Amino acid sequence: LDLDGDSAAGAGEPSTTSDADGFFSIASGTPAEGVTPRLIAIGGTDTSTGKELPNLALISDLPADDSKSVNVTPLTTLVAAADTAEAKAAVLTALGISGSVEDLLTTDIWAAASAGDATAAATLRVSQQVAVLLHTAESLTGDDAGTAESRAVNIAEAVAAQIVALAAAGAIDLTSSTSLAAILEVAVLAVDTTSAVTSAVFAAVASAVSDINTIVADASLDPTSAEAGEVASVAQTELQDSVESVAEGTTDVATFESDTELADLFEGSDVIN
């Protein structure tokens, strides 16, 4: 629980570890003057894919009603980066998400989508798209950009800040390779100031993320299904391995583009048929 606004776990700040299903209970605390407290979650395991995600940081504001549970998700990470209630609401509007910010913070959208709620399923698809973007931005960020924990938080905040800025101008399309390239390049270079990643690499990576996010956005794909879990697994493993390789210069752009063609990523799968 970040009470002093430095996005780091201080000695006097409450912390905990979730259980195997992601549930947690954490002590409250008194924030420093002028600071809005936030929950910051780092690491864990995606229970739908079994993949450990040690470098994923997710952030959430606290709900106005402190009697309710709070969710820490890719979408709450975006909302937490906005400074005002109006800006937070604008993020949801720009992403086509209905409902209030308070609803987002306090609703278990996975459980609701699993129960057949179509609105929750639509929201979950967007959250899964954001997750791919966050994973990819972290993979593009070099090890010199701070410790693994600070790097994860910083890149999450940087990506979120870019989306908040875009939300002020209107709708955001997370399947647009142009938009994704701009978000990734600005966010990564803000965190990793010595990065040697070129615009050509950012463009190629954004195209690969666009392909994955287009699959995720398909309304015919149940975001809680095994097929969606397969898409998430590929996004977390094969895609990120290729992103790290091209970012480090181990492979070139042409090789990356070949390696991340959907036919290769999902060879033998029914996902793209």
Side-chain angles (χ1 to χ4, degrees):
L1 182 62
D2 184 23
L3 297 173
D4 58 10
D6 68 353
S7 301
E13 292 175 321
S15 65
T16 190
T17 301
S18 67
D19 66 16
D21 295 314
F23 294 103
F24 65 93
S25 177
I26 192 167
S28 60
T30 302
E33 184 176 354
V35 172
T36 299
R38 303 181 306 167
L39 283 167
I40 300 179
I42 299 174
T45 299
D46 184 332
T47 56
S48 70
T49 66
K51 170 71 174 176
E52 290 187 18
L53 306 171
N55 299 322
L56 177 66
L58 300 175
I59 304 168
S60 181
D61 292 328
L62 301 182
D65 184 349
D66 60 10
S67 69
K68 293 185 176 181
S69 297
V70 60
N71 296 277
V72 189
T73 72
L75 282 177
T76 67
T77 302
L78 305 185
V79 170
D83 293 331
T84 66
E86 292 76 16
K88 293 177 189 295
V91 170
L92 300 187
T93 299
L95 292 171
I97 296 171
S98 60
S100 68
V101 171
E102 186 78 355
D103 291 336
L104 179 71
L105 296 179
T106 59
T107 301
D108 184 341
I109 58 172
W110 182 278
S114 297
D117 187 314
T119 299
T123 301
L124 184 56
R125 290 188 189 96
V126 179
S127 189
Q128 291 172 343
Q129 289 179 312
V130 175
V132 178
L133 184 57
L134 292 174
H135 285 305
T136 305
E138 200 284 327
S139 293
L140 285 164
T141 305
D143 292 341
D144 292 337
T147 65
E149 184 171 299
S150 65
R151 186 171 65 248
V153 175
N154 290 341
I155 197 64
E157 291 180 329
V159 168
Q162 287 305 304
I163 292 181
V164 169
L166 290 173
I172 298 172
D173 182 2
L174 293 175
T175 67
S176 164
S177 59
T178 301
S179 297
L180 292 169
I183 293 168
L184 288 169
E185 184 163 5
V186 174
V188 171
L189 296 182
V191 173
D192 188 0
T193 57
T194 62
S195 174
V197 178
T198 65
S199 293
V201 169
F202 282 115
V205 170
S207 180
V209 173
S210 171
D211 289 343
I212 294 291
N213 276 0
T214 298
I215 296 174
V216 173
D218 189 337
S220 68
L221 180 66
D222 178 353
T224 66
S225 67
E227 291 78 9
E230 184 180 350
V231 176
S233 180
V234 167
Q236 293 165 359
T237 53
E238 287 93 338
L239 176 60
Q240 299 314 317
D241 289 344
S242 293
V243 170
E244 290 178 5
S245 182
V246 75
E248 294 168 354
T250 305
T251 58
D252 58 23
V253 169
T255 301
F256 171 84
E257 290 174 334
S258 176
D259 290 344
T260 56
E261 289 183 0
L262 292 180
D264 288 335
L265 289 175
F266 293 98
E267 184 177 4
S269 169
D270 294 331
V271 167
I272 62 171
N273 291 339

